[in-house]
Amino acid sequence: SLIGINRSEGNASTGRTTNLSLINHNIYTHIKDKFQNTYIQAVSNSDNDNTIVSDEKWSVVVIREPFLLHQFRDDVKFTLSNDEIEEEEEENRRATERIKCVQCNDFYIEQDNRMGACVHHDGFIYDNYSSRLEVWTQRGAIEQLLKEEARSIQPSAYGMQASEQKEHLERMKQRFKFICCHQTLFIGGMMGGCKKGKHSSPNVTVEKWEETCHENVLEIVDLHCCDIDDLSSVVK
Ligand SMILES: [Zn+2]
Ligand SMILES: [Zn+2]
């Protein structure tokens, strides 16, 4: 073939990089110029107005390498087929559309969704101070903590002395733990997480993700030796 692609890979601080460069760049430029000079021009015949003589100049280029094809198509502004237009739109969508991840509660774009991009907890939450180890969803536990915080500014809650009450509330704030790592759930801070993986795909709902977290049930059974039937009765 006349023109080829030189592919070189290297390590950069941002990760693995691939550099592509053209072999025989001069020939490429020459062919590109020739290609752009092709045309179909209609010349009307002055002797007889009914016949139209067209002057055609053709170029045919065969390109097998996908990158080179893409490059050439862009350079000569070749008209795209419907399939190619769709493909380009799809690529564009992948590069710009924001998708909500139900695991870390953040947005991402599809092309950036690689391993390690999503930091999250993949287990449910349990109330470590309850005798039956109540099971909560992350959303439920956060809501509960926020409610308690709002209630705590009202005077004489729990009917205790101010300092005693404050201490009790502070302790209660730390009762929710993640089953996956036993870290404490705090409100108002960064969500954090003990697992690094990919963000959730667009079709996964929060409910579905919570279900997955609840399936992480075996560990809590080990932890407190209750049976699964018992546990499911306290799931909130
Ligand atoms: Zn965790
Ligand atoms: Zn995520």
Side-chain angles (χ1 to χ4, degrees), residues 121 178 180-181 194:
H121 295 281
F178 287 96
C180 40
C181 56
C194 60

Side-chain angles (χ1 to χ4, degrees), residues 71-85:
Q71 177 79 40
F72 190 77
R73 218 176 48 193
D74 286 354
D75 283 349
V76 300
K77 301 190 171 52
F78 197 74
T79 313
L80 301 179
S81 70
N82 281 343
D83 280 358
E84 284 167 332
I85 291 171

Side-chain angles (χ1 to χ4, degrees), residues 13-31:
S13 56
T14 48
R16 195 130 185 94
T17 59
T18 308
N19 282 315
L20 298 168
S21 56
L22 290 172
I23 300 167
N24 289 340
H25 201 273
N26 294 344
I27 300 179
Y28 177 82
T29 312
H30 179 75
I31 294 175

Side-chain angles (χ1 to χ4, degrees), residues 93-144:
R93 189 192 61 76
R94 282 169 55 92
T96 53
E97 192 185 53
R98 294 185 346 142
I99 303 166
K100 178 88 178 274
C101 170
V102 295
Q103 297 163 187
C104 67
N105 238 341
D106 206 347
F107 289 99
Y108 70 94
I109 52 173
E110 212 172 314
Q111 67 176 17
D112 287 348
N113 192 13
R114 44 181 86 87
M115 205 58 197
C118 180
V119 180
H120 59 270
H121 295 281
D122 62 349
F124 57 83
I125 286 170
Y126 63 97
D127 180 348
N128 199 36
Y129 295 173
S130 75
S131 55
R132 288 169 62 93
L133 284 184
E134 277 178 18
V135 173
W136 292 73
T137 62
Q138 193 170 318
R139 284 189 303 168
I142 289 173
E143 201 186 314
Q144 180 66 21

Side-chain angles (χ1 to χ4, degrees), residues 38-230:
T38 59
Y39 55 86
I40 299 176
Q41 196 174 45
V43 187
S44 58
N45 196 321
S46 55
D47 297 337
N48 184 350
D49 283 342
N50 292 331
T51 58
I52 290 174
V53 180
S54 61
D55 185 9
E56 300 186 7
K57 193 177 169 197
W58 288 64
S59 272
V60 176
V61 177
V62 179
I63 304 174
R64 260 186 307 214
E65 220 287 325
F67 171 78
L68 192 56
L69 175 67
H70 209 271
Q71 177 79 40
F72 190 77
R73 218 176 48 193
D74 286 354
D75 283 349
V76 300
K77 301 190 171 52
F78 197 74
T79 313
L80 301 179
S81 70
N82 281 343
D83 280 358
E84 284 167 332
I85 291 171
E86 261 170 43
E87 198 181 300
E88 213 151 80
E89 277 169 1
E90 172 69 13
E91 224 167 79
N92 205 25
R93 189 192 61 76
R94 282 169 55 92
T96 53
E97 192 185 53
R98 294 185 346 142
I99 303 166
K100 178 88 178 274
C101 170
V102 295
Q103 297 163 187
C104 67
N105 238 341
D106 206 347
F107 289 99
Y108 70 94
I109 52 173
E110 212 172 314
Q111 67 176 17
D112 287 348
N113 192 13
R114 44 181 86 87
M115 205 58 197
C118 180
V119 180
H120 59 270
H121 295 281
D122 62 349
F124 57 83
I125 286 170
Y126 63 97
D127 180 348
N128 199 36
Y129 295 173
S130 75
S131 55
R132 288 169 62 93
L133 284 184
E134 277 178 18
V135 173
W136 292 73
T137 62
Q138 193 170 318
R139 284 189 303 168
I142 289 173
E143 201 186 314
Q144 180 66 21
L145 288 177
L146 287 171
K147 266 190 214 158
E148 285 169 16
E149 193 178 73
R151 216 182 292 143
S152 72
I153 60 159
Q154 292 164 12
S156 74
Y158 299 99
M160 284 180 233
Q161 297 298 310
S163 64
E164 201 183 329
Q165 178 192 338
K166 216 175 148 201
E167 202 181 295
H168 173 76
L169 285 173
E170 282 309 311
R171 260 207 318 275
M172 288 301 277
K173 270 187 199 168
Q174 297 179 26
R175 70 188 191 276
F176 290 124
K177 314 280 182 192
F178 287 96
I179 190 68
C180 40
C181 56
H182 309 299
Q183 278 179 43
T184 306
L185 169 81
F186 289 108
I187 47 168
M190 284 289 288
M191 201 87 102
C194 60
K195 302 288 187 298
K196 272 186 178 175
K198 280 182 155 190
H199 295 293
S200 62
S201 21
N203 55 351
V204 179
T205 59
V206 182
E207 289 76 16
K208 185 83 201 117
W209 172 241
E210 283 172 350
E211 241 171 68
T212 312
C213 289
H214 276 281
E215 279 159 18
N216 208 340
V217 84
L218 290 172
E219 264 191 79
I220 201 171
V221 177
D222 284 348
L223 191 72
H224 276 259
C225 311
C226 49
D227 60 57
I228 293 182
D229 288 346
D230 197 25

